[in-house]
């Protein structure tokens, strides 16, 4: 990349010790407070004063008007959709509850005991995920948020909610046509020569169709917000927000866990994703970055047709290519897949410095090798924003990871995380070394699967790594788990960055198995502070 050089000194081949694992990781020691009879006797002798409760009561009374005002305003913003969603929620709870009762009865009759999921009821990861799926798009997106935020949620929930990333059923084409007519304000055939009724993709929030512009005959894709989803989303998120506010009011101790702040983060993230004007801004920002850095011959992002785009529809240039996991096609398009991967890494790392936001969802559906040999970055619905403090700590973390130096790695995580504790950095470093050294020599098998499309009779060959999304997150969950045992909590941007590195490590295994992406001098990890290393 122009102007960038490697931030990690030293050339070395071989694989990074980062994500190369197959089996379940060994348990890592955690430190817990041991309660003795003395502890309990002290607690028994301690009786909070009446003044304490009086002060807490007065604080609650003072905060009550603000809570009521917040609830009333949020309810007004929700509109008439609120009661309907409440009824649908009750129906979903009854449905999943019935399923739990049947499963519990069956387990009791066969084994005489209940598994952990059954003991927790609807609050268990399994049944809560099923409840979210019955509740529809908002809660599926909420499940995806949980699955993507291991710094905020327990690992068993993060792993279970990976299932929320499955393909969503498509919306009938006549519903899509109705939205297009409404948003365009004119007959569809006056704008587009055709719109393919078969969707290219269908997710929980949007559906994508191929089309061609009538005047210019350019091929495009149209991303369409699913009908009625925005109202449902607002109603659901407002309900979740009100519930969080009431819980914090009833139990002020929860405010220390930042419950309302987490809900606000979720609401802001999800509402941004359904505003396609914001996604268009993200795409334009990335395209400007490519132009300013002279990278348009190496990478591309789709042109946005703003005259045919609104908050609910996004019309973009159609890029033709294959995912970075399609080994057969990649080998037919470029002579050196490793060079293409290095380009993708350099472009993405460079965007951390040069763009307001970075692409935070580089899975195989969004990162392609185009027919002309360039790297295509697609779908900017999920982006991240990284603070200089987090990036500075992240640089030290990556360098320490590449060199296998665990004390500076521990120090970087302590700098990045929020904690009120005094942390034993040496003990923390030893626990991190236990995690990473246990997987250093493990490898991952690659499988190639062919799937035949019944409609087109075309064969799509894709390569994947044996570990799936849940396995791919296992290492990061172990890092988070051991960090939390020391009282550390990381910003969400750290999770987003790590997830993208896990994706890139997957591509490295497929396209360049001898490449170490953290130590190869051809890969430029630039400093957010603007400093340059040789």
């Amino acid at each position: 990349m122009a102007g960038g050089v490697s931030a990690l000194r030293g050339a070395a081949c071989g694989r990074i010790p980062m994500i190369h694992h197959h089996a379940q990781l060994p348990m890592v020691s955690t430190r817990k407070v041991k309660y003795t009879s003395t502890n309990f006797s002290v607690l028994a002798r301690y009786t909070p004063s009446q003044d304490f409760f009086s002060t807490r009561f007065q604080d609650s009374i003072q905060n009550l008007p603000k809570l009521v005002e917040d609830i009333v305003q949020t309810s007004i913003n929700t509109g008439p959709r609120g009661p309907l969603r409440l009824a649908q929620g009750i129906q979903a709870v009854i449905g999943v509850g019935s399923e739990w009762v049947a499963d519990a009865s069956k387990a009791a009759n066969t084994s005489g005991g209940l598994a952990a999921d059954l003991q927790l009821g609807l609050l268990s990861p399994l049944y809560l995920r099923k409840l979210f799926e019955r509740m529809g798009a908002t809660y599926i997106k909420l499940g995806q948020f949980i699955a993507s935020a291991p710094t905020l949620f327990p690992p068993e929930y993060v792993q279970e909610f990976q299932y929320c990333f499955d393909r969503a059923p498509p919306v009938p084409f006549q519903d899509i046509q109705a939205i297009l007519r409404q948003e365009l304000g004119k007959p569809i055939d006056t704008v587009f020569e055709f719109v393919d009724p078969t969707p290219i993709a269908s997710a929980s929030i949007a559906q994508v169709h191929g089309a061609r512009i009538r005047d210019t005959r350019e091929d495009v894709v149209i991303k369409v917000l699913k009908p009625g989803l925005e109202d449902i989303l607002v109603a659901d998120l407002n309900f979740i927000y009100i519930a969080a506010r009431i819980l914090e009011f009833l139990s002020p101790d929860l405010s220390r866990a930042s419950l309302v702040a987490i809900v606000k983060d979720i609401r802001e993230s999800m509402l941004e994703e359904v505003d396609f004007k914001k996604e268009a801004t993200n795409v334009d920002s990335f395209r400007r970055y490519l132009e300013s850095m002279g990278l348009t011959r190496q990478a591309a992002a789709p042109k946005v047709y703003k005259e045919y785009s609104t908050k609910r529809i996004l019309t973009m240039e159609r890029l033709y290519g294959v995912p970075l996991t399609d080994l057969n096609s990649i080998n037919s398009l470029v002579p050196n897949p490793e060079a293409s991967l290095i380009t993708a890494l350099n472009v993405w790392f460079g965007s951390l410095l040069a763009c307001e936001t970075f692409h935070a969802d580089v899975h195989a559906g969004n990162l392609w090798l185009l027919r002309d040999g360039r790297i295509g970055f697609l779908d900017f619905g999920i982006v991240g924003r990284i603070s200089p403090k987090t990036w500075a700590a992240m640089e030290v973390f990556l360098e320490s990871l590449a060199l296998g130096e665990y004390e500076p790695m521990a120090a970087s995580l302590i700098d990045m995380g929020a904690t009120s504790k005094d942390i034993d950095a040496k003990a923390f470093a030893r626990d991190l070394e236990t995690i990473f050294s246990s997987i250093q020599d493990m490898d991952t098998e690659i499988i190639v699967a062919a799937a035949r499309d019944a409609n087109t009779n075309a064969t799509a060959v894709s390569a994947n790594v044996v570990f799936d999304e849940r396995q791919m997150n296992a290492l990061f969950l172990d890092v988070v788990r051991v960090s939390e045992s020391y009282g550390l909590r990381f910003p969400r941007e750290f999770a987003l960055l790590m997830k993208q590195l896990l994706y890139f490590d997957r591509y490295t295994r497929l396209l360049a198995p001898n490449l170490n992406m953290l130590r190869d001098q051809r890969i430029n990890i630039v400093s957010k502070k603007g400093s340059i290393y040789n």
Side-chain angles (χ1 to χ4, degrees):
M1 171 181 293
V5 291
S6 177
L8 304 179
R9 301 176 181 84
C13 275
R15 301 183 178 176
I16 59 174
M18 186 166 73
I19 311 116
H20 297 259
H21 66 293
H22 225 349
Q24 180 66 33
L25 293 174
M27 293 296 291
V28 180
S29 63
T30 58
R31 287 154 181 75
K32 298 181 179 179
V33 177
K34 182 178 180 181
Y35 290 99
T36 64
S37 58
T38 305
N39 297 128
F40 287 115
S41 63
V42 170
L43 290 173
R45 291 196 301 268
Y46 174 71
T47 304
S49 67
Q50 186 174 358
D51 289 342
F52 172 81
F53 288 110
S54 176
T55 301
R56 174 169 285 194
F57 177 75
Q58 288 175 0
D59 289 342
S60 296
I61 292 299
Q62 289 176 355
N63 293 330
L64 183 59
K66 175 61 179 172
L67 173 65
V68 172
E69 178 186 351
D70 214 358
I71 291 174
V72 170
Q73 188 59 52
T74 304
S75 300
I76 292 172
N77 294 339
T78 300
R81 177 71 70 169
L84 174 62
R85 288 299 286 161
L86 179 60
Q88 292 172 337
I90 293 172
Q91 186 178 11
V93 169
I94 293 172
V96 177
S98 300
E99 189 176 340
W100 174 84
V101 169
D103 291 345
S105 299
K106 183 178 178 181
N109 292 333
T110 55
S111 64
L114 297 181
D117 273 324
L118 292 172
Q119 290 175 352
L120 287 173
L122 297 190
L123 293 180
S124 73
L126 173 64
Y127 291 99
L128 192 61
R129 190 258 301 169
K130 290 184 175 184
L131 179 61
F132 278 24
E133 289 176 342
R134 282 182 180 247
M135 287 293 292
T138 306
Y139 288 86
I140 290 173
K141 288 304 297 182
L142 180 59
Q144 292 174 1
F145 183 93
I146 292 171
S148 301
T151 59
L152 298 178
F153 300 98
E156 57 271 21
Y157 288 85
V158 171
Q159 291 174 345
E160 180 63 35
F161 279 96
Q162 297 296 325
Y163 289 112
C164 289
F165 285 105
D166 292 344
R167 179 183 172 90
V171 169
F173 184 57
Q174 56 266 31
D175 294 342
I176 297 297
Q177 288 177 307
I179 294 173
L180 289 175
R181 282 193 296 268
Q182 182 180 356
E183 293 299 304
L184 294 170
K186 60 182 73 174
I188 298 173
D189 59 8
T190 64
V191 177
F192 299 108
E193 184 177 314
F194 72 86
V195 178
D196 191 342
T198 302
I200 297 172
S202 178
S204 58
I205 277 180
Q207 192 158 298
V208 179
H209 287 261
R212 180 174 294 157
I213 296 175
R214 177 169 292 279
D215 292 342
T216 62
R217 297 186 61 81
E218 293 172 281
D219 287 348
V220 295
V221 293
I222 312 171
K223 188 174 182 179
V224 183
L225 188 68
K226 290 189 172 180
L229 188 135
E230 191 172 9
D231 290 342
I232 293 173
L233 190 69
V234 170
D236 290 349
L237 292 175
N238 285 345
F239 173 77
I240 295 169
Y241 175 74
I242 288 174
R245 288 283 284 115
I246 292 173
L247 283 172
E248 276 201 1
F249 177 78
L250 295 176
S251 180
D253 290 341
L254 285 174
S255 62
R256 289 199 290 270
S258 305
L259 179 61
V260 169
I262 291 172
V263 170
K264 280 184 175 179
D265 186 20
I266 293 172
R267 183 165 66 167
E268 181 180 341
S269 172
M270 291 174 66
L271 289 177
E272 276 192 8
E273 197 173 342
V274 299
D275 184 350
F276 292 159
K277 288 185 177 179
K278 291 186 177 178
E279 182 173 347
T281 299
N282 296 336
V283 178
D284 286 343
S285 174
F286 192 83
R287 284 172 57 85
R288 286 195 300 271
Y289 151 68
L290 294 178
E291 292 170 3
S292 65
M293 298 295 289
L295 294 170
T296 53
R297 291 186 177 181
Q298 287 80 44
K303 170 187 173 184
V304 174
Y305 295 82
K306 293 186 178 179
E307 63 272 34
Y308 309 131
S309 299
T310 68
K311 186 177 180 180
R312 298 174 66 203
I313 66 172
L314 181 60
T315 303
M316 296 175 288
E317 170 190 9
R318 184 166 188 175
L319 300 177
Y320 290 94
V322 297
L324 284 191
T325 51
D326 190 339
L327 279 179
N328 282 12
S329 298
I330 287 174
N331 285 325
S332 68
L333 289 172
V334 293
N336 186 359
E338 181 177 294
S340 297
L341 176 63
I342 289 172
T343 296
L345 283 163
N346 282 333
V347 169
W348 184 79
F349 274 120
S351 70
L352 296 177
L353 170 65
C355 281
E356 202 174 301
T357 58
F358 64 89
H359 197 303
D361 197 21
V362 291
H363 64 70
N366 292 338
L367 193 62
W368 285 12
L369 180 67
L370 303 181
R371 290 176 181 174
D372 60 10
R374 294 183 298 169
I375 297 295
F377 287 81
L378 312 177
D379 197 339
F380 286 75
I382 300 177
V383 296
R385 297 170 179 83
I386 184 167
S387 67
K389 176 186 175 183
T390 299
W391 179 245
M394 191 71 184
E395 279 190 303
V396 176
F397 175 84
L398 294 177
E399 185 169 7
S400 303
L401 186 59
L403 300 176
E405 297 176 350
Y406 297 100
E407 288 193 12
M409 182 191 296
S412 70
L413 292 175
I414 293 170
D415 288 342
M416 192 186 307
T419 181
S420 58
K421 293 184 177 182
D422 290 329
I423 294 178
D424 185 342
K426 290 187 178 296
F428 185 27
R430 287 194 296 271
D431 282 345
L432 290 172
E433 184 175 6
T434 299
I435 293 174
F436 288 105
S437 62
S438 68
I439 60 170
Q440 188 167 359
D441 298 325
M442 294 186 183
D443 206 347
T444 306
E445 177 187 352
I446 296 173
I447 57 173
V448 178
R452 185 169 297 277
D453 190 313
N455 297 321
T456 63
N457 203 36
T459 300
V461 180
S462 63
N464 217 333
V465 181
V466 166
F467 55 62
D468 60 11
E469 282 292 315
R470 288 176 297 150
Q471 292 171 308
M472 193 176 72
N473 275 317
L475 170 68
F476 186 39
L477 287 173
D478 278 334
V479 174
V480 171
R481 189 183 295 114
V482 72
S483 300
E484 287 182 344
S485 74
Y486 288 90
L488 283 169
R489 290 184 67 85
F490 298 122
R492 181 171 177 252
E493 58 203 36
F494 174 64
L496 288 175
L497 281 169
M498 284 297 295
K499 183 107 182 227
Q500 309 325 302
L501 291 175
L502 290 166
Y503 280 128
F504 278 118
D505 185 70
R506 170 180 282 184
Y507 305 143
T508 299
R509 295 169 183 274
L510 296 172
L511 303 177
N514 294 320
L515 174 72
N516 186 319
M517 70 176 179
L518 296 182
R519 299 182 66 181
D520 195 296
Q521 289 186 324
R522 295 170 294 175
I523 298 170
N524 309 316
I525 302 178
V526 297
S527 172
K528 190 73 177 175
K529 297 174 292 185
S531 57
I532 296 177
Y533 301 80
N534 289 316

